[in-house]
Amino acid sequence: MSKRSRDRQLAKLAARRQAERDAAARRRTLITGVAAGVIAVVVVIVGLGVLLGDETDTASPSASPPTGPSVSPSPSAATGTKTGTVTPTAANESGDVACGADAPAKAGKPKPQFAGPPPMTIDPKATYTATMVTSCGTIVIELDAKRAPQTVNSFSFLTKKGYFDGQYFHRLDTSIDVIQGGDPSGTGADGPGYTIPDELRPNASYTAGTLAMANAGPNTGGSQFFIITGPDGANLDENPNFTIFGNVVEGLSVAERIQALPISDPEAAANGDLSGQRPAQAVYIEKLTIRKTGGGA
């Protein structure tokens, strides 16, 4: 082979290798571009999630959907039948109880969950009174069975099961003058295993002494309730999405005393972490009872 022929062959081989390198470079550029596009889409989705996701109002006495120790009710079980239990978290690390009280015998005991709301057993035309004995005193509440029959019926059902006995108030929020309890785990995230529909009032006003249901959105009430202790409860009036089902008739000063207790982590609470609103010293519901105090028409 002449020198000229060999040079031409080497030139063709060099050109082919260069073409292969150029093609590989184009493929790398395409892969990089696709990856960048995917990352961009993910960023947009995450951004939309931040903008359009669950924007919990830290001033609202709402609860997140049940998580953690909750047990989902069996779909085959009859309504109002027991399907599982929830074990409460410790009220605090020290074991200290507010107002010089001791922890009740039922503190820390697991609580039942149930399949579906219970059957209606109350008389919506009757008057019912709830007596709540707490670590800081007794609160007496007249329940409104007429305007919130399903809520009062559920509250009465759980009370008869001893559901609230030994629970503790897990949230004190001075921005809306709320003391909140009724969560079997004490985390603010649990309930009785079922939900009940809202029974809202037009132009509801959350005045001092109001007993209402907490929720995580429409028709998600369960067992968590709150009591309004002062004038800042009116901050909820513009968002009247919490079923009012009673009013304190005795012992509002006890609720006010609970409200005035220090919380466990004011800095965390100020940053929107509702767990920081737990009382630094435990406030237990030692006993809750309900009795019929007036017959229906």
Side-chain angles (χ1 to χ4, degrees), residues 87-232:
T87 300
T89 59
N92 54 34
E93 295 181 359
S94 65
D96 292 341
V97 181
C99 303
D102 296 320
K106 293 188 177 180
K109 301 295 183 182
K111 295 298 179 182
Q113 288 189 307
F114 303 90
M120 181 66 69
T121 59
I122 66 162
D123 179 359
K125 297 180 181 179
T127 302
Y128 295 87
T129 300
T131 301
M132 183 183 299
V133 180
T134 77
S135 301
C136 295
T138 299
I139 303 171
V140 181
I141 306 162
E142 185 174 294
L143 303 178
D144 194 342
K146 180 178 181 180
R147 289 194 284 185
Q150 295 186 74
T151 306
V152 172
N153 185 69
S154 173
F155 192 69
S156 299
F157 166 78
L158 293 173
T159 297
K160 290 177 181 178
K161 296 292 184 180
Y163 184 83
F164 298 104
D165 299 347
Q167 288 191 23
Y168 54 84
F169 287 92
H170 65 272
R171 182 182 179 194
L172 309 180
D173 191 336
T174 56
S175 70
I176 47 176
D177 284 342
V178 157
I179 62 173
Q180 186 168 330
D183 178 5
S185 71
T187 64
D190 285 285
Y194 63 82
T195 58
I196 55 177
D198 295 331
E199 295 175 296
L200 304 177
R201 304 179 186 180
N203 303 315
S205 183
Y206 298 90
T207 56
T210 296
L211 173 69
M213 290 298 298
N215 62 52
N219 302 309
T220 60
S223 59
Q224 293 191 45
F225 63 87
F226 61 93
I227 298 173
I228 301 293
T229 65
D232 285 339

Side-chain angles (χ1 to χ4, degrees), residues 17 21 29 74 92 118 122 130 161 164 186 214 217 221 247 274 281:
R17 289 177 176 172
R21 286 194 293 270
T29 300
S74 168
N92 54 34
I122 66 162
K161 296 292 184 180
F164 298 104
N247 191 72
L274 300 187
Q281 293 182 309

